[in-house]
Amino acid sequence: MYLAPVELLHSGKVRDLYADGDDLILVASDRVSVYDVILPTPIPDKGRILTQLSVWWFDQLGDLLPNHVISATDVPPEFAGRAIRCRRLQMVPVECVARGYLTGGGLTEYRATGSVSGVSLPAGLDEASRLPEPIFTPSTKAPAGQHDEPISFSAVVETVGAETAERLREITLGVYERGATLAAERGIIIADTKIELGWAPDGTLVLADEVLTPDSSRFWPADSWQPGRPAFSFDKQFVRDWAAGTGWDKRAPGPELPDDMVERTRARYVEIYERLTGKPW
Ligand code: ATP
Ligand code: MG
């Protein structure tokens, strides 16, 4: 029963966060953001797909660490299917990124410096190269309107202390490896992923936000992956590339997506959901 309306705490680029008593309601919209700009055109079903895929992953990862989900069904009816009721945590002020392959911002940084977030890498790596082993490449959690910046492990130590920093790295690589192994069985490469963690009142680190979704990860079909050229992607890289190709200057407002891009983007979100979970959308 929802007699009092839940209270909007924060409207992010893609998600809206409401308070319901002590709990939070995390609602995924159909908005799509690229280069930190929300595009004017929504993608039908995207919010539901992101939420249902996260819920599925939280289950798969349940034995690795606790997560913030209280219920995926006990949410206000207007948000049904695209919201979770979750525990309100104190968020760790670091975006925890794991990379198993080199692309995007990681590749740009590697080409400039030979390393990513302070992790030095062997010479000769290229677009979509597989890394010798997955690496932890944290970034800042930039306030609204700013871009997340890569930071070194020692900067994480300065922010949260050595012990927590080690735990963040261990958890992030653990989630990546579990996810990547499961996805590989379904013919999908997880090139990289970003997770967010928060502290429960007793100090336990809890997996929060969304997990291993096409907004937080890069998913590539394994059978067409080839180092040296951009991979086909089941994630919003497709929209990023299209938007960049219009000559847009990456400042708000972003370009309107034509109908065929909306449909093709939706199809990719649906396909990755179906391939990973094995369930029809
Ligand atoms: P973006 O992800 O597009 O960069 P954003 O992070 O501001 O922008 P969203 O991701 O859309 O916005 O909103 C989700 C917000 O909710 C994030 O700030 C995230 O850190 C926060 N959050 C997620 N889970 C919890 C939780 N259990 N407790 C407290 N805050 C949470
Ligand atoms: Mg976020």
Side-chain angles (χ1 to χ4, degrees):
M1 283 288 283
Y2 293 91
L3 298 175
V6 292
E7 177 203 351
L8 181 64
L9 293 178
H10 168 87
S11 186
K13 289 185 287 290
V14 173
R15 268 89 47 74
D16 300 318
L17 205 56
Y18 295 82
D20 185 16
D22 290 342
D23 301 343
L24 291 179
I25 310 283
L26 185 58
V27 184
S29 71
D30 291 342
R31 298 188 289 271
V32 54
S33 84
V34 291
Y35 303 109
D36 291 330
V37 173
I38 304 168
L39 299 186
T41 325
I43 305 295
D45 292 334
K46 178 172 177 279
R48 287 198 300 137
I49 294 169
L50 292 182
T51 297
Q52 296 311 317
L53 187 57
S54 275
V55 167
W56 183 82
W57 277 117
F58 279 124
D59 273 348
Q60 307 301 312
L61 301 167
D63 61 316
L64 275 185
L65 81 164
N67 63 59
H68 69 162
V69 179
I70 296 171
S71 170
T73 51
D74 182 16
V75 298
E78 65 268 36
F79 304 142
R82 58 193 183 92
I84 54 169
R85 172 179 298 274
C86 56
R87 287 197 270 166
R88 187 175 201 154
L89 304 168
Q90 190 192 335
M91 296 305 287
V92 175
V94 174
E95 303 263 20
C96 293
V97 179
R99 296 173 195 271
Y101 293 75
L102 201 54
T103 186
L107 179 63
T108 307
E109 206 188 329
Y110 168 78
R111 284 184 172 151
T113 66
S115 62
V116 183
S117 295
V119 181
S120 54
L121 294 171
L125 299 176
D126 201 349
E127 170 70 60
S129 285
R130 185 179 185 161
L131 299 175
E133 60 182 357
I135 56 173
F136 178 53
T137 61
S139 60
T140 58
K141 218 166 142 31
Q146 292 171 35
H147 300 290
D148 296 342
E149 299 292 342
I151 48 173
S152 65
F153 187 73
S154 46
V156 180
V157 171
E158 272 166 42
T159 312
V160 295
E163 201 181 317
T164 301
E166 291 290 354
R167 269 299 279 156
L168 295 179
R169 176 162 61 191
E170 182 184 33
I171 290 170
T172 306
L173 293 174
V175 167
Y176 174 77
E177 260 160 73
R178 172 70 69 85
T181 303
L182 213 142
E185 291 164 9
R186 290 143 166 92
I188 302 293
I189 289 171
I190 303 181
D192 52 38
T193 194
K194 179 209 78 176
I195 61 172
E196 290 192 38
L197 296 149
W199 286 286
D202 69 358
T204 314
L205 281 170
V206 177
L207 186 58
D209 211 51
E210 62 179 338
V211 64
L212 293 163
T213 68
D215 274 13
S216 64
S217 320
R218 289 188 170 93
F219 295 119
W220 301 339
D223 56 9
S224 65
W225 165 71
Q226 211 184 325
R229 60 159 210 224
F232 175 97
S233 62
F234 284 113
D235 54 67
K236 73 179 186 182
Q237 188 60 39
F238 175 58
V239 186
R240 282 189 201 104
D241 292 345
W242 175 85
T246 63
W248 170 51
D249 62 4
K250 301 183 184 171
R251 286 193 300 227
E256 297 256 7
L257 291 171
D259 290 350
D260 73 308
M261 273 301 295
V262 172
E263 196 33 58
R264 288 159 74 197
T265 304
R266 181 184 175 279
R268 290 186 189 211
Y269 277 74
V270 168
E271 184 169 356
I272 193 66
Y273 172 88
E274 293 187 334
R275 288 188 60 171
L276 288 170
T277 66
K279 296 190 276 191
W281 173 246

